[in-house]
Amino acid sequence: IIAFEKTKEGIKLAMANPNDTQIIDFISKKTGDKIIAYMATGRDIENALRLYQKEMQKTFNELLTEQVAVAGTSPSQEAPIAKIIDLLIEYAYQNKASDIHIEPSEKETHIRFRIDGVLHDVLSLPQNLHRQITTRIKVLSKLRTDEHLSAQDGKMQTTLPQEKIDIRVSIVPVVHGEKAVLRLLSSKSRQFALNDLGIAESDI
């Protein structure tokens, strides 16, 4: 359930089950306002709630900052770099991103997620970590680590708590190094049931 607007007529709720009078009465008593219920699919409500998970983003940024610091000082940098890539993939999956763009510039590396067809700037990493990140991606994708002037395509697989996903990898040389694009191929994102279309279970 999401309360998305309050007007003089009452509080507007988006509900997966707008016929749930028990919860409507409960919220009405707690707020002292009239409740206006609107139908929304469970999938849409989950997507909307995800936008407000600020603590998750804060935690991710703290973890990433810690891993970047370790990677910059540790003689054995493989583990921190692997953790950075794992965090990026997990965070992209949680935000339903279809692609991760890792692009170097003169002073830093830009991380962007493609969500619903639009590229969003997520964060920037120190430029000195970029080569380690692309090398790690090449190793996981079974690509040549000694090739830096030609485009390469490969694939890898990773296991998340939710599912095991395939990732298509593209490495392209650019002015300041190599740009990596990871396309996340999730099987769950392609699964739609009738209730995702707003049809109640009693009508199926």
Side-chain angles (χ1 to χ4, degrees):
I1 296 172
I2 297 177
F4 62 91
E5 188 178 5
K6 183 177 182 180
T7 66
K8 59 182 179 181
E9 286 81 19
I11 296 176
K12 297 181 180 181
L13 292 184
M15 303 179 64
N17 180 15
N19 295 320
D20 189 342
T21 56
Q22 184 176 357
I23 192 66
I24 290 175
D25 291 341
F26 173 79
I27 296 176
S28 180
K29 290 178 182 177
K30 284 288 185 181
T31 61
D33 290 299
K34 179 184 177 182
I35 301 300
I36 306 169
Y38 288 80
M39 172 68 189
T41 66
R43 184 185 292 261
D44 287 339
I45 289 177
E46 288 177 4
N47 289 341
L49 288 173
R50 191 172 288 110
L51 296 176
Y52 295 93
Q53 292 179 333
K54 300 299 184 183
E55 288 304 314
M56 180 188 70
Q57 183 170 359
K58 180 181 177 182
T59 300
F60 173 82
N61 289 337
E62 289 174 353
L63 285 172
L64 192 58
T65 301
E66 178 184 339
Q67 295 301 323
V68 168
V70 173
T73 58
S74 172
S76 175
Q77 299 178 342
E78 183 177 348
I81 292 297
K83 185 64 174 177
I84 288 173
I85 295 171
D86 290 344
L87 287 171
L88 286 175
I89 293 173
E90 184 175 352
Y91 190 52
Y93 179 88
Q94 291 172 346
N95 283 271
K96 297 190 179 298
S98 60
D99 301 87
I100 303 172
H101 288 244
I102 305 172
E103 185 172 359
S105 65
E106 185 177 359
K107 296 182 179 180
E108 56 190 4
T109 292
H110 301 285
I111 308 295
R112 300 182 177 94
F113 290 169
R114 186 177 296 280
I115 303 173
D116 293 332
V118 180
L119 274 176
H120 299 268
D121 291 324
V122 178
L123 71 154
S124 297
L125 298 177
Q127 214 279 340
N128 63 322
L129 296 180
H130 183 80
R131 188 156 188 167
Q132 300 169 47
I133 291 173
T134 53
T135 298
R136 177 64 181 173
I137 291 172
K138 286 180 180 181
V139 170
L140 294 173
S141 308
K142 296 180 173 60
L143 300 177
R144 289 184 57 183
T145 57
D146 59 344
E147 177 59 68
H148 304 289
L149 300 178
S150 300
Q152 297 189 71
D153 293 310
K155 59 184 178 180
M156 57 192 245
Q157 192 176 73
T158 188
T159 302
L160 299 176
Q162 300 86 347
E163 63 170 314
K164 183 179 292 185
I165 62 172
D166 295 320
I167 300 174
R168 189 182 304 155
V169 178
S170 176
I171 306 287
V172 180
V174 292
V175 175
H176 297 289
E178 293 176 289
K179 176 181 178 179
V181 179
L182 281 61
R183 167 153 290 188
L184 279 58
L185 304 174
S186 168
S187 59
K188 285 189 175 182
S189 65
R190 297 189 294 268
Q191 294 176 354
F192 287 88
L194 290 176
N195 56 3
D196 292 316
L197 303 177
I199 300 175
E201 291 186 9
S202 58
D203 296 329
I204 296 177

